[in-house]
Amino acid sequence: MAEENSRTKKTIPPYMKAISGSLGGIVEASCLQPIDVIKTRLQLDRTGSYKGIVHCGSTIVNNEGVRALWKGLTPFATHLTLKYALRMGSNAVLQSAFKDEETGKISPAGRVMSGFGAGVLEALVIVTPFEVVKIRLQQQRGLSPELLRYKGPVHCARMIVREEGILGLWAGAAPTVMRNGTNQAAMFTAKNAFDTMLWKKHEGDGKVLQPWQSMISGFLAGTAGPICTGPFDVVKTRLMAQNKSGGELKYRGMFHAIATIHAEEGLRALWKGLIPRLMRIPPGQAIMWAVADQITGFYERTYLTNAPL
């Protein structure tokens, strides 16, 4: 019993995982917001106005100024900070629940389920309302504040609630749940696998990865999700961008949106914005994990010995 209690005490607590994720999210958002703006504009482009990533970025800068590439940064940074805190903390709690009581190890299935659960939780609690506000702000085009429908994130949220009801902030919740659940199941599983294969890092061995090692593992772990969940991301963006003030809604739900986009724009349209997603998510995961692993590593070196990461 004493040995079991000692082992429990030497586990990095979920709140430290949450803190590490939130700080990593702040750094990630500041670095990669322009790519997210370009991704959103490409996904909302139904007429072919943009010829690609570079053309989209240059058009935004020429017509709206460089600062337009950081539109929606406030809700995006806040959303990432809270999302990573919830993701890392809830994943740690769920992994503890799935661990074998005798060995303290978690099975591959338990790791997948922990990641999926963390993704679903973050999608419902944080991601959906913040992304609705972010996308509404990002789709606005122009320089004059008086001509913009939404004056800022708070004003945008209040307008959505006033015109569409509180549930308007959860538009596109279904594809967001599917996207985030699948993404996090893949990401946490892949990050652990790459740490083991590349750096011989095993949970509980007390080894702390160097930042560049965390970045490589995080980058590779972040590549699978966007490819698998591209249609969910496109549908999520379309559902979040539409509002009832313009009359009847074009898309009535996730499956109707998928069918409509496929019929009107072709199969490839369901992966619109994939390249900028791959330009943003894997580097974002690299940045986040580099920060998070160092924070948990500092905690381990300072307070623990051989604590499982």
Side-chain angles (χ1 to χ4, degrees):
M1 180 66 69
E3 182 180 350
E4 182 179 345
N5 292 336
S6 175
R7 184 180 64 212
T8 301
K9 290 179 181 177
K10 292 181 180 180
T11 300
I12 295 178
Y15 75 84
M16 276 308 303
K17 297 286 186 75
I19 291 172
S20 69
S22 64
L23 293 177
I26 293 173
V27 178
E28 176 188 340
S30 301
C31 294
L32 300 178
Q33 173 69 358
I35 297 176
D36 195 70
V37 171
I38 291 172
K39 182 212 76 168
T40 299
R41 292 290 182 88
L42 286 172
Q43 289 182 336
L44 294 174
D45 180 26
R46 301 175 187 170
T47 60
S49 301
Y50 302 121
K51 308 306 178 186
I53 299 170
V54 176
H55 179 258
C56 179
S58 61
T59 301
I60 293 172
V61 171
N62 292 336
N63 294 339
E64 305 172 49
V66 175
R67 290 180 60 186
L69 290 174
W70 275 267
K71 275 186 176 180
L73 177 60
T74 299
F76 185 51
T78 305
H79 142 240
L80 272 189
T81 302
L82 296 175
K83 178 177 74 172
Y84 283 143
L86 180 61
R87 174 190 299 176
M88 301 289 279
S90 62
N91 182 72
V93 171
L94 290 170
Q95 284 199 359
S96 297
F98 281 110
K99 280 182 179 178
D100 185 278
E101 294 183 359
E102 295 183 0
T103 64
K105 295 182 179 180
I106 183 171
S107 67
R111 194 180 303 280
V112 170
M113 291 302 297
S114 298
F116 189 85
V120 170
L121 188 61
E122 72 179 16
L124 291 175
V125 176
I126 294 172
V127 176
T128 303
F130 273 95
E131 289 212 0
V132 167
V133 172
K134 182 196 70 169
I135 287 172
R136 296 287 179 90
L137 290 171
Q138 287 180 346
Q139 71 176 337
Q140 296 186 123
R141 304 182 186 186
L143 293 170
S144 303
E146 62 273 8
L147 298 179
L148 298 178
R149 174 175 174 78
Y150 305 118
K151 311 305 180 186
V154 176
H155 177 258
C156 178
R158 292 170 66 179
M159 286 281 289
I160 292 171
V161 173
R162 184 183 305 125
E163 296 179 350
E164 305 170 41
I166 189 68
L167 291 181
L169 291 172
W170 273 267
T176 307
V177 164
M178 293 299 299
R179 183 198 67 170
N180 283 60
T182 305
N183 269 344
Q184 301 328 309
M187 189 274 292
F188 280 109
T189 303
K191 175 63 165 59
N192 180 75
F194 284 122
D195 283 349
T196 301
M197 289 189 296
L198 297 177
W199 321 120
K200 309 303 180 184
K201 170 74 180 80
H202 299 276
E203 290 191 9
D205 62 7
K207 180 179 180 180
V208 180
L209 297 179
Q210 294 296 315
W212 64 270
Q213 293 175 315
S214 297
M215 292 186 77
I216 291 175
S217 294
F219 185 95
L220 294 174
T223 55
I227 296 174
C228 298
T229 62
F232 293 127
D233 193 61
V234 171
V235 169
K236 170 199 71 74
T237 301
R238 296 287 180 92
L239 290 174
M240 289 179 174
Q242 65 181 0
N243 60 77
K244 296 181 179 179
S245 61
E248 185 178 350
L249 297 179
K250 180 177 178 65
Y251 307 115
R252 296 193 296 272
M254 180 175 68
F255 295 109
H256 179 257
I258 291 175
T260 302
I261 293 170
H262 178 265
E264 295 181 354
E265 305 172 49
L267 183 63
R268 291 179 60 186
L270 289 170
W271 274 269
K272 273 189 173 181
L274 176 61
I275 299 301
R277 279 193 83 203
L278 289 173
M279 290 176 63
R280 198 203 72 73
I281 293 177
Q285 290 301 299
I287 294 169
M288 192 280 293
W289 280 109
V291 175
D293 281 351
Q294 290 307 299
I295 293 172
T296 54
F298 173 79
Y299 182 91
E300 177 185 7
R301 290 191 301 269
T302 305
Y303 300 105
L304 308 175
T305 302
N306 295 329
L309 292 175

